[in-house]
Amino acid sequence: MKLIVKVFPEITIKSRPVRKRFIRQLVKNIRAVLRDLDPELRIEGEWDNLELETAVSDPRTLRDLIERLSCTPGIAHFLEVHEYPLGDFDDVVEKCKAHFGPRLPGRVFAVRCKRAGKHSFSSMELERHVGSQLRQQCEAAGISLKAPEVEVRLEVRHDRLFIIDRQHPGLGGYPLGALEQTLVLMSGGFDSTVAAWQIMRRGMLTHFCFFNLGGRAHELGVMEVAHYLWKKYGSSHRVLFISVPFEEVLGEILEKVDDSHMGVVLKRMMLRASTQIAERLHIDALVTGEAISQVSSQTLPNLSVIDSATDMLVLRPLLAAHKQDIIDTAEAIGSAAFARHMPEYCGVISKSPTTKAKRFRVEHEEKQFDMAVLERALANTRQVAIDRVIDELGKDLPVEEVAEALAGQVVLDIRHPDASEDAPLELGGVEVQPLPFYAINNRFKELDANRQYLLYCDKGVMSRLHAHHLMSEGHQNVRVYRPASQKLEAGSSK
């Protein structure tokens, strides 16, 4: 299969050195993202596009390849094409007829041609000739440039002809690694996940910083959505997941700070901590999911007071976004399913909150706060490479695994719905229920407590994590279903 990748238009208006650097970075990223699907992938670059060629023919692998390209920052769109040496006009007609002929009888169509290089004809002349011949030879109903039912698209590049079979949308933006690094303050809800995605799409490396206010379940949920965003949109680069234990900080605020200023003080403590982390890691800016006046701490006076806690640049890509637009974006990028089941712990301290905080009053409240508590939180911060985050969590958890499910037991398929749909789990005589991992913490308590449940996922890691958490919550009717074939695959990959 041959693909032509069209780069994000803003890249094409850069100076020659910057443009070349961005294109080189995009090539590196594409190779990194697709390496496991096709190690022999060929990529050749031109000034405004890249040509990719793969010998892979397996439909599922090709579908994965297209999906990954669609989620790679820096790509405006890409085309599936058939390549031929450029012949005369009649030869072009024959090639177009071979690909589009069956679609044209009784339908209105248009011919679209783009051309690069020096030729003795114009794009319009080629369009007219091909269009008139296809209409006569393929029994088409007519030609309409404004509202065609079928578009016959072709590109002429120097001495080559490309017949365009299909166009796929890209993510846009700049290639990851072409710009600076950021640290996203990640709660796992709608706002922070969409903010992270927007920064990634713009080409900035995005590390994730989570302030844990809700214990193991909350941390696990945020790790999962951060891993999802990285895997889908940023896997060309390794980034960090940083977890800061903030329960003691929250407790100190609840005890020492006036109710009306708790939310603002909590945000300032988060900025102080994340600033120190970012400076240590040589990261250039912080990112939050705040939007103007969405909640009390996000009024302009409060944001101004919050920002005064740090000298580091704080980016807020959602500042003027409406909540419904944010939710719609989360649905489109796949983070909404996680966000719906994510607890919002910041809200528990919003008791009669001020919307017009004054800096002198906030600083007065903070004088009661023991800063040693914040230092302890920073000292106990844990960081792990995002590609290892799930594996690290899953190490050495004392959870019973079974290789065979028995009648009467229920296997809970906790994979992402897309994975369950692509490869359904079918076990003769055993009930299988889909229950995605991002919903299991909330919905497990609704299940029949008298039945035995076996959690299943592709590699056995996610299921082990969630089984361990459920057992720690007092549910003793949980095991992990890990068939023998899965263990063999794991052993052969080591």
Side-chain angles (χ1 to χ4, degrees):
M1 182 171 69
K2 181 116 180 176
L3 300 171
I4 295 180
V5 173
K6 304 290 186 177
V7 303
F8 183 52
E10 288 182 30
I11 296 175
T12 65
I13 62 174
K14 301 295 183 186
S15 65
R16 177 178 287 269
V18 173
R19 185 169 176 171
K20 289 177 68 175
R21 177 166 60 85
F22 278 28
I23 296 293
R24 283 197 300 269
Q25 185 65 61
L26 181 57
V27 171
K28 287 174 61 178
N29 293 355
I30 291 173
R31 290 191 189 281
V33 167
L34 302 182
R35 185 176 294 120
D36 63 317
L37 297 180
D38 183 6
E40 306 300 323
L41 181 74
R42 291 179 57 246
I43 306 178
E44 295 180 355
E46 288 197 27
W47 190 236
D48 61 350
N49 65 77
L50 300 171
E51 294 182 16
L52 279 63
E53 193 159 1
T54 178
V56 171
S57 57
D58 175 63
R60 185 170 180 178
T61 304
L62 289 175
R63 190 167 65 247
D64 288 346
L65 186 148
I66 289 169
E67 170 70 16
R68 293 187 192 183
L69 279 180
S70 297
C71 297
T72 299
I75 297 175
H77 62 268
F78 55 99
L79 311 169
E80 288 186 50
V81 302
H82 303 277
E83 181 183 359
Y84 302 98
L86 178 62
D88 58 20
F89 277 20
D90 290 335
D91 183 67
V92 175
V93 170
E94 290 302 313
K95 298 296 191 298
C96 290
K97 191 166 81 170
H99 292 286
F100 290 96
R103 309 184 210 174
L104 296 181
R107 306 182 77 182
V108 176
F109 75 100
V111 179
R112 316 285 195 199
C113 176
K114 291 185 177 181
R115 189 173 55 85
K118 294 183 179 180
H119 303 95
S120 60
F121 57 87
S122 67
S123 299
M124 188 174 294
E125 288 172 338
L126 182 56
E127 288 174 350
R128 286 173 177 167
H129 182 84
V130 172
S132 65
Q133 292 300 309
L134 290 180
R135 182 178 183 182
Q136 294 174 34
Q137 298 179 33
C138 298
E139 300 178 355
I143 296 174
S144 172
L145 299 181
K146 291 185 177 180
E149 296 174 89
V150 178
E151 280 194 343
V152 177
R153 298 179 60 194
L154 54 138
E155 287 194 12
V156 174
R157 288 190 165 271
H158 307 291
D159 59 351
R160 295 182 297 165
L161 170 68
F162 296 103
I163 306 295
I164 299 169
D165 188 49
R166 193 173 290 111
Q167 177 172 318
H168 301 277
L171 200 58
Y174 296 134
L176 278 176
L179 301 178
E180 292 75 22
Q181 301 186 64
T182 63
L183 184 66
V184 176
L185 278 61
M186 193 80 166
S187 71
F190 289 101
D191 301 338
S192 63
T193 54
V194 172
W197 173 78
Q198 289 196 346
I199 290 295
M200 293 165 73
R201 183 177 64 160
R202 196 61 183 171
M204 288 176 273
L205 285 184
T206 301
H207 304 271
F208 303 95
C209 184
F210 165 61
F211 292 94
N212 192 355
L213 305 175
R216 178 72 163 178
H218 192 197
E219 180 181 48
L220 179 57
V222 177
M223 282 182 162
E224 287 168 343
V225 69
H227 185 271
Y228 167 84
L229 288 172
W230 167 79
K231 186 70 175 176
K232 192 169 182 69
Y233 301 105
S235 61
S236 58
H237 290 74
R238 297 183 82 191
V239 295
L240 296 174
F241 183 91
I242 300 154
S243 182
V244 187
F246 237 52
E247 295 98 327
E248 189 181 1
V249 173
L250 178 59
E252 183 76 0
I253 291 173
L254 290 169
E255 182 180 345
K256 302 288 182 63
V257 175
D258 182 77
D259 290 352
S260 63
H261 286 73
M262 286 180 178
V264 171
V265 171
L266 177 62
K267 294 291 182 67
R268 282 168 60 90
M269 294 300 170
M270 288 179 174
L271 282 194
R272 287 190 176 99
S274 54
T275 296
Q276 290 192 42
I277 293 167
E279 288 176 344
R280 173 167 51 83
L281 296 172
H282 306 290
I283 292 173
D284 304 281
L286 307 177
V287 178
T288 77
E290 292 160 318
I292 293 174
S293 294
Q294 189 182 113
V295 295
S296 60
S297 65
Q298 296 172 18
T299 62
L300 288 181
N302 287 1
L303 289 176
S304 177
V305 172
I306 290 168
D307 278 2
S308 66
T310 181
D311 292 328
M312 183 165 282
L313 175 65
V314 180
L315 303 176
R316 294 183 171 92
L318 307 184
L319 194 64
H322 301 310
K323 186 67 176 185
Q324 189 57 52
D325 293 339
I326 296 170
I327 293 173
D328 291 344
T329 301
E331 293 282 3
I333 66 176
S335 65
F338 298 88
R340 286 193 193 93
H341 302 280
M342 200 68 65
E344 281 288 352
Y345 288 95
C346 291
V348 302
I349 62 172
S350 296
K351 184 178 179 182
S352 302
T354 181
T355 57
K356 295 183 178 180
K358 304 295 184 184
R359 184 170 175 177
F360 72 88
R361 172 65 189 279
V362 171
E363 290 175 346
H364 170 74
E365 292 294 331
E366 289 181 344
K367 287 179 181 177
Q368 319 304 316
F369 185 94
D370 182 1
M371 286 297 177
V373 174
L374 183 64
E375 293 303 317
R376 279 197 297 274
L378 282 166
N380 292 316
T381 293
R382 297 186 299 109
Q383 69 180 48
V384 60
I386 192 67
D387 58 322
R388 301 296 301 168
V389 68
I390 302 298
D391 292 338
E392 288 292 325
L393 278 175
K395 282 182 177 177
D396 304 322
L397 295 180
V399 177
E400 182 182 344
E401 296 181 354
V402 300
E404 183 180 358
L406 304 177
Q409 295 177 326
V410 180
V411 175
L412 298 180
D413 186 349
I414 70 168
R415 294 176 295 169
H416 192 280
D418 290 347
S420 299
E421 188 175 321
D422 285 345
L425 179 64
E426 297 178 355
L427 301 172
V430 177
E431 183 180 351
V432 178
Q433 292 184 21
L435 183 58
F437 58 86
Y438 48 73
I440 194 169
N441 288 329
N442 287 335
R443 289 171 50 190
F444 189 84
K445 58 181 175 289
E446 301 170 6
L447 301 178
D448 185 351
N450 295 315
R451 301 195 68 178
Q452 286 287 325
Y453 296 95
L454 308 179
L455 307 192
Y456 171 80
C457 67
D458 284 326
K459 297 182 179 179
V461 176
M462 201 80 78
S463 53
R464 194 161 64 251
L465 283 168
H466 283 282
H468 182 264
H469 173 69
L470 290 170
M471 291 173 67
S472 69
E473 292 285 300
H475 301 285
Q476 298 305 312
N477 55 339
V478 183
R479 304 289 184 272
V480 168
Y481 172 56
R482 197 175 183 200
S485 58
Q486 198 178 72
K487 293 182 180 180
L488 287 173
E489 289 176 10
S492 64
S493 65
K494 291 181 181 178

